[in-house]
Amino acid sequence: MASQCYKFKVKLSCMSCVRAVERVLAKNNGNGEIISQDISLEDQTVAVTTTLSLEKVQEILNKTGLEYETLKNS
């Protein structure tokens, strides 16, 4: 599967929230499917470049317990 960049607007209120996203993405990257991630506390965005489906990335983000919305993907 070709890689996609999925972007999300996430309610990140502090660095603990950023670390929670980093942890859950790392924990669910067993086979290297997540190529890169860009988490911005300032912009409250998360961009994930991956070979996983959008639904799988959303499932992973759900594990953080943070509210988010999916933005236009590139």
Side-chain angles (χ1 to χ4, degrees):
M1 177 181 214
S3 66
Q4 293 283 329
C5 182
Y6 301 117
K7 296 181 182 179
F8 305 91
K9 186 78 169 173
V10 183
K11 288 198 176 184
L12 301 167
S13 58
C14 61
M15 283 306 295
S16 291
C17 295
V18 171
R19 285 191 291 277
V21 173
E22 290 172 338
R23 261 192 317 275
V24 77
L25 289 171
K27 187 174 182 180
N28 288 276
N29 193 22
N31 295 319
E33 298 97 342
I34 298 174
I35 299 164
S36 67
Q37 63 191 29
D38 182 26
I39 304 168
S40 172
L41 177 60
E42 183 178 328
D43 296 332
Q44 295 202 9
T45 56
V46 175
V48 180
T49 302
T50 182
T51 57
L52 297 171
S53 68
L54 174 60
E55 293 77 19
K56 181 63 179 171
V57 177
Q58 290 170 325
E59 181 181 311
I60 291 168
L61 286 178
N62 286 338
K63 294 176 183 180
T64 66
L66 298 170
E67 291 182 40
Y68 70 88
E69 68 176 88
T70 304
L71 301 176
K72 183 178 178 182
N73 302 318
S74 59

